[in-house]
Amino acid sequence: MENAPDIFDRRAQFDRLYESYADDVLRVSYFYLGDRQKAEDVCQDVFVRLLTKGPDIQPGHEKAWLLKVALNRCRDMWRAAWVKRVVLGSPLEMLPAEDNIEHYAAKSDLMETVHALSPAFKEVILLHYYQGFGIAEIARMLDLPEGTISSRLSRARKKLEQLLKGSDQG
Amino acid sequence: MRELGHLSSIADEMLAGLQAGPGLKEKIWLKRSAPARTGRVSGFYRGATVVAGAMVLAVGVGLALNNRLFSQAQPVANEGRLTQIAAGSATQEPLPNLGWADVPDGSLRVGNGQDLADAPKFQSLFAGSGANYPLIGHDGKAFRRMSASLPSRAVGEALGVVSLNTGEPSLADSEQWQSSILSNVAQEGANVYQIDGLSPSTALGAEVDGKTVLFQRVSYAGYGTSGQSLEDTLDVRGKVSALILSGVGTIGDAQQANALMDMLLDNATFYNDQSTQGKQSLTIELDSGVRLQLLISGEVFSACGSWSCPEFFDAFRNAM
């Protein structure tokens, strides 16, 4: 049974990390899955795991740890057929702030196209271009060699370019 | 792709309405605090449980005797889980439900019109198991025996004979690996052949117990790719008649199969120099009747070395 100081420390860590990174976890999950409820489920699972497993996360790498767990969860969900029946074909719903609802065609095209990438490409694009991680950090998060990450990023960019050109031509 | 440089600000702007608020936070904290079930049961309840269990058993036996248990079971829909019913079974009992994380990698990627029940099952064509499987060492390369038969028309020119039969090929020195043909299954003096249409860096044939059998290039005991590409170790470009991806389906059209193989050979990136086990396989049927195989773990293909090519799976599914 946990003693009071343990609960206090864990709650303090949870509060701090939730305030700092829960939006990122939620939005990356939503970008991946295209389903708000599923994204909230992932966010919940990630932070429950943080609380219950009580890992020793290296200071300065908390966000990487949270997103790694989130992506693992998203990947599991994505591969389940019943999720695909719900998610595939659903356009990514843009959720701008209420005072910022305008028609951003090019921006929503980009968002949709990133969302439409295969999971492996989507992950590296989201981690590098959305969340700002470098190749070395991404390689550690995904347990892949740096060369594979570089190559994957390069191919993902090409794929994105093809898809965006295709959508421009109607 | 200048737009990608702005993805962060664009995404934050377009998803500004999506926020992890205090409601979600409290839900998480409460979920973590929910008491776990314990295994402790008091003596009284333990006794009551035993009696109840016995009553259930008695009722169950009675029903079985009346053949009531052998009626068609109805599938149970559980939210978030898959329910499978075994095909062709008279009892139609449901299989254990699979959770998201239990599903084998790639096994539920369904193509157009392909029923999951028809998807080819995983079966490794690599013979033997453990660390000392049946192999041939030639020219500093390792080749593992395949259980698939080798058509006689595919046997090519002779490369030489086995000069060393050893039960521990990993202990043979590099000089022996480079300059002789060694094996733990083919006897000394057994003929070793090229496979017609394939380079000797991809596959060999050798006489084992009076029959010429197929050996495919693998990584073994430090003898891996030696800096070669996937295509160098799997010289099958333009020679494929079918591809079988276990748990998914078969591409029997040679043109499509070769196009997919080209994509794999052109885009696979080196992962490591090991041969790994997998729960999935890509069987490559060649025009010559030879069958080679790559084992798959996640999105990594393995035979001689391991190679990553995630886009292959979507391409395969689209080709179906």
Side-chain angles (χ1 to χ4, degrees):
Chain A
M1 191 155 166
E2 289 179 296
N3 57 34
D6 283 342
I7 295 174
F8 179 77
D9 287 345
R10 205 166 285 183
R11 179 80 206 219
Q13 182 195 43
F14 166 66
D15 285 343
R16 180 174 60 84
L17 294 182
Y18 189 89
E19 295 310 315
S20 301
Y21 304 123
D23 279 353
D24 290 310
V25 171
L26 184 62
R27 289 173 187 175
V28 166
S29 304
Y30 180 72
F31 224 140
Y32 199 118
L33 297 169
D35 183 296
R36 184 173 192 157
Q37 185 56 58
K38 299 288 174 298
E40 287 188 358
D41 290 346
V42 170
C43 191
Q44 204 177 120
D45 290 347
V46 167
F47 282 95
V48 167
R49 185 168 164 189
L50 173 71
L51 284 166
T52 55
K53 302 284 184 190
D56 288 323
I57 306 173
Q58 212 179 335
H61 294 273
E62 295 96 341
K63 186 179 179 184
W65 185 90
L66 291 168
L67 287 176
K68 177 179 176 168
V69 173
L71 287 176
N72 285 342
R73 194 77 189 93
C74 287
R75 213 176 291 131
D76 288 344
M77 284 191 177
W78 184 265
R79 284 175 178 164
W82 80 269
V83 170
K84 284 190 171 184
R85 285 195 287 274
V86 173
V87 173
L88 283 183
S90 306
L92 190 67
E93 186 189 344
M94 304 304 156
L95 299 162
E98 283 183 10
D99 59 355
N100 204 13
I101 298 174
E102 290 180 29
H103 180 61
Y104 298 120
K107 293 174 184 176
S108 62
D109 266 352
L110 176 63
M111 299 274 292
E112 279 288 351
T113 309
V114 170
H115 171 63
L117 290 173
S118 69
F121 283 171
K122 199 158 33 185
E123 285 173 16
V124 292
I125 290 286
L126 290 178
L127 288 175
H128 187 63
Y129 289 104
Y130 181 26
Q131 294 296 317
F133 289 102
I135 288 176
E137 183 88 58
I138 296 173
R140 277 194 293 274
M141 289 166 74
L142 300 184
D143 293 323
L144 290 170
E146 289 185 27
T148 301
I149 300 299
S150 294
S151 164
R152 214 175 262 197
L153 266 173
S154 168
R155 300 210 304 272
R157 280 194 293 264
K158 279 195 188 125
K159 184 72 181 177
L160 210 48
E161 205 164 359
Q162 276 171 16
L163 291 173
L164 284 170
K165 271 199 185 124
S167 70
D168 283 346
Q169 285 157 11
Chain B
M1 276 259 75
R2 265 179 298 159
E3 301 93 327
L4 267 181
H6 303 297
L7 180 64
S8 182
S9 56
I10 290 171
D12 281 341
E13 178 188 333
M14 302 299 267
L15 299 179
L18 185 65
Q19 292 175 2
L24 180 59
K25 187 179 178 184
E26 269 319 295
K27 221 196 283 187
I28 292 167
W29 181 252
L30 288 171
K31 195 168 179 183
R32 167 247 173 266
S33 304
R37 291 182 187 172
T38 68
R40 293 187 165 201
V41 180
S42 76
F44 172 78
Y45 289 110
R46 197 179 298 131
T49 305
V50 168
V51 169
M55 287 174 63
V56 168
L57 186 61
V59 169
V61 168
L63 287 174
L65 289 174
N66 286 331
N67 285 330
R68 295 279 176 89
L69 276 183
F70 297 103
S71 60
Q72 194 165 359
Q74 296 300 312
V76 176
N78 287 327
E79 189 176 342
R81 300 212 157 227
L82 293 170
T83 302
Q84 293 181 324
I85 303 294
S89 163
T91 61
Q92 294 251 308
E93 291 176 357
L95 294 171
N97 290 346
L98 295 177
W100 290 312
D102 298 336
V103 174
D105 295 340
S107 66
L108 291 179
R109 297 171 189 264
V110 180
N112 292 332
Q114 177 108 15
D115 192 342
L116 277 175
D118 298 331
K121 293 187 178 19
F122 168 65
Q123 184 180 5
S124 172
L125 295 181
F126 290 95
S129 59
N132 219 16
Y133 41 73
L135 62 83
I136 295 251
H138 167 60
D139 193 29
K141 303 175 180 71
F143 300 82
R144 181 171 175 177
R145 182 174 176 174
M146 306 297 280
S147 55
S149 60
L150 177 62
S152 54
R153 67 177 185 275
V155 178
E157 291 180 8
L159 282 173
V161 297
V162 175
S163 53
L164 173 67
N165 176 281
T166 169
E168 290 289 348
S170 61
L171 298 181
D173 61 41
S174 58
E175 175 65 27
Q176 288 170 312
W177 273 88
Q178 293 292 342
S179 61
S180 61
I181 301 179
L182 56 89
S183 178
N184 57 0
V185 288
Q187 298 305 310
E188 288 175 17
N191 286 314
V192 177
Y193 303 94
Q194 269 191 260
I195 302 299
D196 198 34
L198 295 179
S199 87
S201 292
T202 296
L204 301 172
E207 288 169 351
V208 178
D209 299 331
K211 208 168 61 156
T212 305
V213 298
L214 177 67
F215 289 76
Q216 181 178 339
R217 178 89 179 271
V218 293
S219 296
Y220 172 82
Y223 294 96
T225 60
S226 303
Q228 291 188 309
S229 67
L230 175 60
E231 185 165 5
D232 290 333
T233 66
L234 192 68
D235 166 37
V236 297
R237 194 184 290 269
K239 301 163 193 162
V240 180
S241 60
L243 290 175
I244 303 161
L245 185 59
S246 70
V248 178
T250 300
I251 302 293
D253 177 84
Q255 192 174 3
Q256 280 190 321
N258 277 301
L260 282 167
M261 202 66 226
D262 287 351
M263 180 222 237
L264 181 60
L265 294 174
D266 290 338
N267 291 294
T269 52
F270 181 70
Y271 184 73
N272 63 40
D273 213 9
Q274 312 298 319
S275 290
T276 57
Q277 297 300 311
K279 295 176 285 191
Q280 192 177 16
S281 60
L282 177 69
T283 301
I284 306 162
E285 293 189 349
L286 303 180
D287 299 328
S288 57
V290 170
R291 300 174 86 202
L292 303 176
Q293 196 174 65
L294 295 169
L295 297 181
I296 301 168
S297 177
E299 288 159 342
V300 174
F301 299 79
S302 175
C304 182
S306 293
W307 308 84
S308 165
C309 189
E311 57 266 55
F312 178 84
F313 298 93
D314 280 339
F316 192 99
R317 191 178 39 168
N318 290 338
M320 286 172 61

